[in-house]
Amino acid sequence: MKFYHKIAKVFQPLTYRRSWRRLRRGLHPIPLAPLLARIDQERLRKLRAELGSPPSTAPASWRHYAKYLELEKYLRLNIRRVQDLNLHLTSPKDILDLGCGGGFFLFVAQAQGHRGLGLDTGGIPVFDELVKLLGVERGIYRIEAEEALPDFGRKFDLITAFSTAFHGGKDNSWRWGPNEWEFLIADLERHLNPGGQIFFGLNPAYAGEYYTPEILEVFLRRGAAVERENVLFPPKAVIPSGA
Ligand SMILES: C[S@@+](CC[C@H](N)C(=O)[O-])C[C@H]1O[C@@H](n2cnc3c(N)ncnc32)[C@H](O)[C@@H]1O
C-alpha cells in the first residue's frame, strides 16, 4: 500500500475525533488560573529578564527554546495534552516524560494528582530553570539509539514523549529508522506497570513528515493508534495472578 494511502486511511475519522476531543475538553476543563497561582511570578519575571533574549553568541538551541518562557501559551498546550490523555479524570498515575523540556506537561499532570519524572539532556538554561520553577523532578539522561534506558527503581503507568527530538531533528544530519524505534518501544515496555501505556507526540522530523512508512509500520504492528503526530500504544497486558 502506498504511503499516502496509508496516511489517508489513518486520517479518515480525524475531523470527528478532533471535534470529540474539543467537546470533551470543554466538558471537563482544567482552568489556567489555579495553575498560574502555583508559580512564583517574581522568579518568573527574573528568568524572563535573564534568559528571554540570549545573545547571538549563545547556542542556537538556547535562543530557540527561550520561547518556552511564554508560560501561559505552553501551559494551555499542556492542559490540552493532559485532557486528551484523560489524566484529569483518572486515579493517580506514575508518569515518565521523555525529553521533558521545561516540565510543563508533568506540572499540569502533577496538579491533577499524578506523580511525574522527566528525563532530559539538561544544559539548556531555560529548561534547567523552568523545571525548578515548576517543581518537576528531572533526571539528566540522553536517550541514544539502541541503548536501554537506566533502571528508575520504579515502573510507570504512562510513558510520554512530546515534540520529540531524541530521534533526530532539524539540527542533526541523522534520523532514527524503524530499528531504533522498535528498540525504544520494546525497552519502554520494560518500564511499564501492567496496564501502562506509551504515548508519543512526534515532531515532523522526516522531511516534514512525522514518520516514514517503515516507522509507521512498526507503530501499527505494535497495535498503536496513530493519528498524525499522535501515537498511542495499547495498554501493557495484565498477567493474571497464578498464571
Ligand atoms: C522541542 S523540546 C520539547 C520539550 C517538551 N517535551 C515539550 O513538549 O514542551 C525537545 C526536548 O527534547 C530534549 N532532547 C533532545 N534530545 C534528547 C535526547 N537524546 N535525550 C533526551 N532528551 C532529549 C531537549 O533537550 C528538549 O528538552
Side-chain angles (χ1 to χ4, degrees):
M1 199 189 293
K2 288 245 163 39
F3 187 39
Y4 56 84
H5 282 150
K6 277 190 185 158
I7 293 291
K9 205 167 156 220
V10 165
F11 284 167
Q12 264 161 16
L14 186 65
T15 316
Y16 164 75
R17 283 200 298 257
R18 286 196 161 162
S19 311
W20 173 236
R21 274 203 301 270
R22 251 199 309 275
L23 180 70
R24 285 187 61 230
R25 287 187 208 127
L27 286 175
H28 302 283
I30 299 178
L32 180 65
L35 293 174
L36 286 173
R38 291 169 177 243
I39 297 169
D40 181 340
Q41 296 297 323
E42 185 48 35
R43 214 164 128 204
L44 174 60
R45 260 190 295 280
K46 284 192 182 138
L47 288 186
R48 283 181 172 145
E50 283 166 24
L51 304 171
S53 313
S56 57
T57 49
S61 61
W62 294 18
R63 280 178 276 129
H64 177 67
Y65 289 139
K67 65 183 180 185
Y68 282 86
L69 288 165
E70 270 185 69
L71 240 62
E72 291 198 11
K73 175 176 169 185
Y74 288 96
L75 282 175
R76 286 184 206 283
L77 168 65
N78 284 278
I79 285 174
R80 292 198 294 275
R81 288 172 170 171
V82 164
Q83 288 175 306
D84 292 347
L85 286 167
N86 228 16
L87 291 173
H88 54 326
L89 301 174
T90 55
S91 53
K93 288 183 191 295
D94 276 302
I95 305 173
L96 175 67
D97 188 32
L98 310 177
C100 66
F104 292 96
F105 172 69
L106 290 178
F107 171 72
V108 180
Q110 285 173 186
Q112 314 308 307
H114 303 288
R115 295 170 294 266
L117 172 66
L119 270 201
D120 209 294
T121 56
I124 297 171
V126 72
F127 288 154
D128 294 349
E129 293 304 323
L130 279 172
V131 286
K132 285 190 241 162
L133 180 75
L134 299 179
V136 166
E137 187 189 353
R138 181 185 65 165
I140 299 297
Y141 185 82
R142 179 174 292 277
I143 300 163
E144 298 279 9
E146 305 200 14
E147 265 184 31
L149 294 181
D151 181 6
F152 298 105
R154 65 192 209 250
K155 301 218 179 211
F156 300 93
D157 305 304
L158 179 65
I159 300 180
T160 51
F162 295 98
S163 303
T164 49
F166 50 77
H167 52 91
K170 62 179 168 40
D171 298 330
N172 309 111
S173 56
W174 50 270
R175 296 285 182 284
W176 280 14
N179 293 344
E180 289 85 0
W181 279 105
E182 182 96 55
F183 183 96
L184 177 74
I185 298 160
D187 186 45
L188 292 179
E189 280 179 359
R190 291 190 310 117
H191 295 278
L192 282 178
N193 285 319
Q197 282 190 277
I198 301 167
F199 175 84
F200 299 140
L202 301 172
N203 256 342
Y206 301 90
E209 304 284 351
Y210 298 106
Y211 26 73
T212 62
E214 295 77 19
I215 294 168
L216 177 62
E217 210 61 78
V218 171
F219 296 157
L220 296 178
R221 194 166 356 104
R222 287 185 162 271
V226 181
E227 186 193 298
R228 277 169 54 106
E229 74 270 39
N230 299 320
V231 185
L232 177 66
F233 292 86
K236 179 172 168 170
V238 179
I239 301 177
S241 56

